[in-house]
Amino acid sequence: MRAASSRSGLRLLAAAAALAAAGTAAAAGCAKPVYLTFDTGHMGVAPLVAEVLARHGVKATFFLANERTRTDGSSLDDEWAPWWRARAAEGHAFGSHTWDHLVWQADTAAGLRLRPTAGPDAGKTLTLTPAQYCAELRRPAERFQAMTGQTMLPLFRAPAGRTSPALLAAAKACGFTHVGWSPAGFLGDELPSDKYPNDKLLSQALQKVRPGDILLAHLGIWSRQDPWAPAVLEPLVTGLQARGLCFATLREHPLYAAAAAPR
């Protein structure tokens, strides 16, 4: 009887401790988080994005590829190194988007069939072994460390979100975990402006985004005529904050925190 009572008391104490810890974590951090993420792009809106994030105290997660910019350079070249260094100093999080923005096409007996949209082989179809794909994942991480002195998270986003079991296994073998986005988190900045104007995208996101969602946007989309940022970004941030939501990086996401933890 005493043993049963003791076990019951221990369970109650453990439950109380867990509740206290949860309450402390919520008070210290973000009780209703959403996870804003940006993939690289032509970088034309990158300074505006940084201004909005800083103005509203938002921390985001960036996925880096070496994409062509409006100045005929690339998003990870020396021109943009100070921009990345400043974002790293602000406490944002960073993952890989493959060096040449490799879009998965198919799995073959020879390896992964991919189509880069950046770099010298843009528009061609390549077949990479798992080891070669891992090298493509590591190149942004190596460049990021050279630019910022910080270590990139072992997270990646496949361009266009296109994956396969073989691609995910190849990435996992070299320590990378894939991150997609939530259905409501697709913010539509890569859609045509005439059919999806900014006010429509903003209204849709404000209605549908819920706590826990991973949101996807880009640092500039070539095909969009009416830039999404900051026209949608700023009212989206303030609108979600007014609903009681807050912003966290993928370092804090329950599915990715363990992968992102320092080793």
Side-chain angles (χ1 to χ4, degrees):
M1 219 27 210
R2 185 177 298 173
S5 175
S6 177
R7 285 195 298 270
S8 176
L10 287 172
R11 284 196 295 268
L12 287 172
L13 285 172
L19 286 171
T24 301
C30 191
K32 296 181 180 178
V34 292
Y35 304 89
L36 179 60
T37 70
F38 290 92
D39 296 349
T40 42
H42 62 53
M43 303 298 285
V45 300
L48 298 173
V49 167
E51 290 172 10
V52 171
L53 298 182
R55 187 157 48 243
H56 297 284
V58 171
K59 295 294 184 285
T61 302
F62 295 88
F63 288 94
L64 280 60
N66 195 41
E67 299 189 63
R68 182 169 65 93
T69 64
R70 283 184 168 177
T71 56
D72 289 327
S74 60
S75 53
L76 303 183
D77 65 15
D78 288 344
E79 177 184 355
W80 284 100
W83 192 89
W84 292 112
R85 192 156 49 246
R87 306 293 78 74
E90 290 167 351
H92 299 284
F94 305 87
S96 178
H97 199 36
T98 74
W99 183 257
D100 283 334
H101 201 258
L102 296 169
V103 181
W104 177 85
Q105 303 292 304
D107 296 333
T108 71
L112 302 167
R113 184 178 298 157
L114 304 148
R115 182 167 296 164
T117 68
D121 292 320
K124 299 178 182 178
T125 298
L126 307 177
T127 299
L128 302 187
T129 66
Q132 289 171 324
Y133 187 73
C134 280
E136 278 283 326
L137 289 174
R138 290 192 184 108
R139 286 186 71 186
E142 292 163 355
R143 176 59 179 158
F144 176 76
Q145 186 162 36
M147 290 188 295
T148 69
Q150 293 190 17
T151 301
M152 181 179 280
L153 299 178
L155 303 177
F156 83 105
R157 172 172 289 149
R162 297 189 63 178
T163 67
S164 71
L167 182 145
L168 295 177
K172 184 177 180 180
C174 55
F176 283 89
T177 300
H178 186 255
V179 179
W181 56 86
S182 304
F186 177 74
L187 298 176
D189 65 336
E190 58 194 282
L191 299 174
S193 302
D194 55 344
K195 295 181 180 178
Y196 300 92
N198 283 334
D199 57 352
K200 180 177 180 179
L201 295 179
L202 174 61
S203 175
Q204 178 176 282
L206 288 174
Q207 289 175 23
K208 293 185 177 181
V209 169
R210 295 291 181 268
D213 281 349
I214 297 175
L215 315 183
L216 165 68
H218 299 78
L219 297 177
I221 293 292
W222 288 96
S223 59
R224 189 165 179 86
Q225 299 302 309
D226 188 12
W228 180 90
V232 177
L233 176 60
E234 189 145 33
L236 176 63
V237 166
T238 57
L240 293 178
Q241 288 175 333
R243 284 178 45 199
L245 277 65
C246 47
F247 292 86
T249 74
L250 292 175
R251 282 190 297 259
E252 292 79 49
H253 193 287
L255 292 181
Y256 305 113
R263 288 175 170 78

